Amino acid sequence: MTKTVLITGCSTGLGNTAARKFAAEGWNVVATMRKPDERLAAENPERIFVTALDVTDPTSIEGAIAAGIARFGRIDAVVNNAGISIVSIFEATPMNVIRGIFETNVFGAMNVIRAITPHFREQGGGTVVNITSNMGFASNPLLAVYVATKHAVEGLSEALMYELESQNISVKIVEPGAMRTTNFSSNTLSATQGIPIPESYKPYFDHMMQSMMSYPFDNADENQVAAQIYAAACDKSDRLRFLAGPDVEQTAKLRWTESEEKYITAMRDLMGHTAWVNNQEK
């Protein structure tokens, strides 16, 4: 039987690439986005069905699930890919902006999982794949809000891995590194424009932004990440996390094989934070 996956955030970037990957592997794809764009479906009309879904609107989610089932008969996997970010000083970030990011990244994923769970249970099982980031188990200055949302999804996913197993539903996490080839970074910087930088933080902000732009590791390729999403959706083992990208592999090695002190020291160096401190001491 041909399997079907529903993917959120398919208008561009990773979601768009993942939709193509699943279709190329013979899956049916319910490619969802807030504003449907039929160009993706036109590439493979037999396999790809585009429909509207806003992860912050439970009614929209139910409608997309119903439309996907009406088109393909069932949904075997859901990929929670939709996400947004900002680069900002936490102290200066308006709470309405913070809540908006949590609404998409955390509560949006929760909304989708809650909506699909009854369907998975009724059909005898299914798989939830949550896209987090290396920021889901590590941290970076200027990304405090985004980091907080991804840590939340990591914790949610691990708890649900056990809980939903009782319903024959699997939960997986895919952790991509930075992807320069998508528009996620440019969208992040665009969303940042309206958030002020307090004068006392300005030198540090500028230094850390420069460090972020010259991060020493190779970036993740969106096709590589899409392949990991596909692998996670197909995986039948107890494996929870799927790393995707050289930078996230290096960060994971530091996080999980070194002492806390060595990890913090190494991350300070990699992020350019140590260089900032040293400059201030001169």
Side-chain angles (χ1 to χ4, degrees):
M1 182 184 298
T2 301
K3 291 189 174 183
T4 299
V5 61
L6 183 149
I7 308 173
T8 66
C10 288
S11 58
T12 59
L14 179 58
N16 196 276
T17 301
R20 291 189 174 97
K21 170 64 176 177
F22 277 89
E25 295 291 345
W27 283 52
N28 297 321
V29 180
V30 184
T32 74
M33 53 197 79
R34 285 182 297 175
K35 297 179 180 179
D37 184 341
E38 292 296 334
R39 287 178 295 180
L40 182 59
E43 296 179 12
N44 194 339
E46 180 182 352
R47 292 290 184 202
I48 301 177
F49 169 61
V50 171
T51 191
L53 188 154
D54 180 343
V55 298
T56 67
D57 180 357
T59 301
S60 168
I61 297 168
E62 289 285 2
I65 291 172
I69 292 173
R71 173 65 184 272
F72 295 122
R74 59 185 281 138
I75 295 173
D76 299 279
V78 159
V79 177
N80 279 310
N81 167 72
I84 55 177
S85 181
I86 55 169
V87 177
S88 68
I89 295 298
F90 176 73
E91 179 185 348
T93 308
M95 281 306 301
N96 67 303
V97 173
I98 294 173
R99 290 190 177 96
I101 295 173
F102 268 81
E103 283 291 344
T104 294
N105 293 5
V106 181
F107 300 127
M110 288 180 172
N111 289 338
V112 173
I113 294 169
R114 286 170 64 91
I116 198 63
T117 296
H119 297 279
F120 281 170
R121 180 169 50 247
E122 183 178 349
Q123 71 188 19
T127 301
V128 174
V129 181
N130 292 328
I131 311 302
T132 62
S133 163
N134 59 336
M135 293 295 99
F137 59 84
S139 296
N140 213 84
L142 313 187
L143 292 171
V145 178
Y146 178 72
V147 168
T149 65
K150 292 305 181 181
H151 273 65
V153 175
E154 290 259 338
L156 171 71
S157 300
E158 187 167 347
L160 289 181
M161 177 186 68
Y162 304 111
E163 185 174 318
L164 291 180
E165 187 177 27
S166 70
Q167 309 300 303
N168 199 34
I169 299 170
S170 298
V171 177
K172 308 292 181 180
I173 304 171
V174 175
E175 299 163 329
M179 290 177 286
R180 306 280 187 198
T181 56
T182 70
N183 60 356
F184 187 77
S185 295
S186 60
N187 287 346
T188 296
L189 293 176
S190 177
T192 301
Q193 297 305 310
I195 301 174
I197 303 167
E199 192 61 34
S200 61
Y201 285 100
K202 186 90 170 49
Y204 179 74
F205 183 92
D206 291 344
H207 172 85
M208 294 307 299
M209 282 295 294
Q210 183 58 44
S211 294
M212 288 170 66
M213 294 300 104
S214 56
Y215 197 57
F217 297 125
D218 292 334
N219 301 126
D221 175 84
E222 63 190 275
N223 291 298
Q224 176 190 15
V225 180
Q228 286 291 73
I229 295 172
Y230 178 74
C234 296
D235 186 67
K236 299 300 182 184
S237 74
D238 288 336
R239 180 179 177 184
L240 174 62
R241 291 179 169 85
F242 290 73
L243 307 181
D247 54 345
V248 72
E249 291 173 2
Q250 181 66 22
T251 304
K253 182 178 179 181
L254 289 170
R255 171 86 275 184
W256 290 320
T257 66
E258 299 290 354
S259 68
E260 185 74 2
E261 292 79 9
K262 287 184 178 179
Y263 164 73
I264 293 295
T265 298
M267 290 300 291
R268 284 176 182 269
D269 292 344
L270 288 171
M271 293 183 300
H273 185 87
T274 300
W276 164 263
V277 172
N278 291 341
N279 284 338
Q280 301 313 296
E281 292 176 348
K282 289 179 180 178

